[in-house]
Amino acid sequence: MATDNASFERLSALEILNEARESNILNSRTIDISKQKTQVQGFSIAGVSRIRSGFLRTLLAPMFEARTMEQAVVESREAAGKLQALGIARHVEIEFDNAAEGQTGMDVRFQCVDGSRYALRTGVDVGDNEGTASVAGKLVNIWGGGESLEAHYARGSKTQAAFQGILQAPIGADPQTMAEISAQQVTMDNRPYSAHDEVRRTLSSAFRAAGGTHEVRLLASWREICGLGTAASPSLRAAAGHTLKTSISHTIVHDDRDSQTVPTSGSFLRMTSELAGLLGDVSFAKTQAELQTNQRLGTSEYIVSTNIQSGLLWSPVGSSPLADRFFLGGQTSVRGFEHRGIGPRDHGDSLGGDIYYAAGLSLLTPLPYVRSTALKGHLWANAGQLALLDSRGLLRPECIPTAEIKRFLTRPSVAVGLGLVYRHSMVRVELSCCMPLVAATTDRTKPGLQFGLGVQFL
């Protein structure tokens, strides 16, 4: 290990600490030892059953490059935290000692409690007008470098069957930077809002940085619109069959909310851009954005939340694929409307859209005679609009495009209401009394009581 060409005598770790203690006693003052020069000369780890030498060298490189006591301690803690974050160790105790005889500096030892090699989990997920029961298994630290292999199986009220396998590995021994390969097959029943089933078989690889703040994904997906009902519309029959999509997408997420379900402060931003058409028979550009803000009114228990969403799907040739369109409406979307109840429709089948926007304003209030902070009163207003960008939508040949776009932007479907919100540790529960105010002829309203269960709400 190289040493600095500095004009000081390097002291051992314990000598630094002893000198600080003696100086503190003699001079009755505090001595800062954090800037004292030292260097890690040796390292040992115990209690871990599987760890790869190459991974360990990468993990510990910053620690061996430290040149002060403070740097060595910080980098040692950082390395220990990464071992725990990757599941290699459940707990790590760090010990510092003098370097071996004849060397200056210090040695570092990690005393670990070995991490679990596997995990099994069952659960119930809710959201997007569906409840899903799932079982999952996970193998941890497969090759001694923090790799994991997960397998999921799920069934729900709309999802007939879903299988997924995910292989993840850290890059540079950093749990905040991950590479992923996944395979998935999902069969969905889209009735009653559209008389068909949909099967998706997907292979993808992804790179995540900054703890998932940025994600770049390469995807190949074979989709099938099938199982058409006897009352399926002509538009749905025209969209039936197989499509092959290959795409690249980028997602950026910023989230500093104090809660994902019922936040009282902070903001959430997510932006996704996707470009399809490298291979296969599907070609389009797609972008989607969501912004949520939450603010407490002074020191009161009143919380104001705003949410704005928008998306655009542009296909250079013909109509856009049904499987890639946006859908709007429902208790977690624009309240006061049925699930996928806003936008173009053909004989009762929801067709989705290529362009949309939605906005929500909510006021959470304390309830009289209720001490629990988990239960709140809720006043809200929602608005949204969805349209196709083809001859059935904004680009109808008999209409003036500018006039259609103006109508699209200025005449959204609107609903208001009041109700209750309950904050559970894993989910948000809503019961609302809804009153639709503005609706298009193709919209399906749902006045009266509406029950919502999920994580993300408008």
Side-chain angles (χ1 to χ4, degrees):
M1 187 68 71
T3 58
D4 293 338
N5 294 322
S7 58
F8 61 84
E9 180 181 358
R10 191 180 301 279
L11 301 177
S12 71
L14 291 186
E15 287 172 336
I16 292 173
L17 294 174
N18 289 334
E19 180 184 282
R21 293 192 189 101
E22 292 173 2
S23 298
N24 188 40
I25 293 172
L26 293 175
N27 301 318
S28 298
R29 60 189 180 89
T30 302
I31 301 298
D32 182 11
I33 66 169
S34 62
K35 306 304 180 184
Q36 290 280 1
K37 299 294 183 178
T38 190
Q39 185 174 350
V40 177
Q41 297 290 354
F43 174 82
S44 61
I45 185 170
V48 174
S49 60
R50 178 177 295 183
I51 189 165
R52 202 168 60 245
S53 59
F55 169 85
L56 195 58
R57 283 194 297 270
T58 303
L59 178 73
L60 299 176
M63 185 185 73
F64 280 102
E65 293 171 358
R67 291 297 180 266
T68 67
M69 176 70 75
E70 181 182 36
Q71 291 174 354
V73 171
V74 168
E75 296 299 341
S76 299
R77 290 176 175 172
E78 182 77 12
K82 290 179 179 179
L83 289 177
Q84 296 178 77
L86 292 170
I88 298 175
R90 281 183 291 176
H91 178 70
V92 181
E93 290 188 0
I94 308 173
E95 299 178 0
F96 300 96
D97 201 353
N98 286 332
E101 187 176 353
Q103 293 183 328
T104 58
M106 64 181 184
D107 289 344
V108 179
R109 287 192 295 271
F110 282 5
Q111 297 288 344
C112 304
V113 176
D114 201 9
S116 300
R117 296 291 298 277
Y118 65 90
L120 295 174
R121 177 178 59 86
T122 60
V124 177
D125 301 318
V126 292
D128 197 25
N129 198 43
E130 180 182 19
T132 303
S134 63
V135 58
K138 182 177 182 179
L139 298 177
V140 182
N141 194 28
I142 304 173
W143 300 299
E147 306 86 0
S148 66
L149 177 64
E150 297 182 54
H152 299 261
Y153 173 75
R155 292 183 68 91
S157 54
K158 300 298 180 184
T159 302
Q160 296 179 357
F163 304 89
Q164 185 177 34
I166 305 173
L167 176 64
Q168 289 185 326
I171 297 176
D174 185 359
Q176 298 293 307
T177 305
M178 303 289 290
E180 173 189 297
I181 299 175
S182 66
Q184 182 185 48
Q185 176 172 315
V186 180
T187 303
M188 295 178 292
D189 180 1
N190 289 316
R191 298 171 179 85
Y193 43 80
S194 195
H196 73 283
D197 296 336
E198 182 178 345
V199 181
R200 299 190 184 196
R201 303 171 181 90
T202 303
L203 291 174
S204 68
S205 61
F207 169 79
R208 296 192 186 93
T213 300
H214 291 271
E215 178 188 277
V216 176
R217 182 174 293 272
L218 294 173
L219 178 145
S221 183
W222 173 25
R223 295 89 57 84
E224 181 183 5
I225 303 298
C226 57
L228 300 184
T230 56
S233 64
S235 297
L236 199 57
R237 295 184 182 278
H242 299 267
T243 57
L244 177 62
K245 178 180 80 169
T246 58
S247 69
I248 181 171
S249 65
H250 173 255
T251 300
I252 180 172
V253 177
H254 169 79
D255 189 357
D256 60 6
R257 297 172 298 176
D258 58 354
S259 169
Q260 291 187 341
T261 55
V262 187
T264 62
S265 64
S267 60
F268 172 80
L269 172 67
R270 177 171 55 203
M271 299 178 64
T272 301
S273 299
E274 182 181 13
L275 183 63
L278 299 177
L279 296 172
D281 52 2
V282 170
S283 179
F284 63 79
K286 183 178 182 180
T287 184
Q288 189 172 10
E290 177 180 1
L291 174 63
Q292 179 190 109
T293 63
N294 306 278
Q295 181 67 48
R296 187 184 300 272
L297 296 180
T299 59
S300 70
E301 293 299 318
Y302 291 84
I303 310 298
V304 175
S305 298
T306 61
N307 192 303
I308 301 174
Q309 303 175 10
S310 64
L312 175 65
L313 171 64
W314 179 75
S315 180
V317 179
S319 299
S320 59
L322 177 64
D324 298 296
R325 291 177 188 160
F326 304 109
F327 292 88
L328 200 61
Q331 59 265 42
T332 61
S333 179
V334 180
R335 302 172 182 87
F337 294 83
E338 293 186 3
H339 183 66
R340 299 192 176 188
I342 294 178
R345 196 172 298 276
D346 186 0
H347 290 77
D349 290 327
S350 175
L351 302 181
D354 302 322
I355 183 171
Y356 87 98
Y357 65 87
L361 176 64
S362 295
L363 175 65
L364 296 179
T365 70
L367 294 172
Y369 311 112
V370 176
R371 294 184 178 181
S372 174
T373 59
L375 184 63
K376 298 282 190 180
H378 187 207
L379 303 173
W380 55 266
N382 289 172
Q385 183 65 283
L386 177 73
L388 288 166
L389 291 177
D390 59 17
S391 58
R392 297 167 295 178
L394 300 183
L395 303 182
R396 294 195 301 272
E398 68 273 15
C399 298
I400 302 174
T402 54
E404 285 296 297
I405 294 174
K406 181 179 179 180
R407 182 196 61 80
F408 172 80
L409 294 175
T410 59
R411 295 180 61 185
S413 301
V414 180
V416 297
L418 55 83
L420 299 173
V421 170
Y422 179 75
R423 183 187 72 249
H424 187 268
S425 59
M426 299 177 60
V427 71
R428 171 173 173 149
V429 184
E430 285 191 5
L431 180 63
S432 296
C433 181
C434 307
M435 181 185 296
L437 299 180
V438 180
T441 56
T442 57
D443 291 346
R444 288 185 172 177
T445 61
K446 192 173 183 180
L449 291 179
Q450 192 172 36
F451 179 76
L453 193 65
V455 178
Q456 286 291 106
F457 285 72
L458 181 65

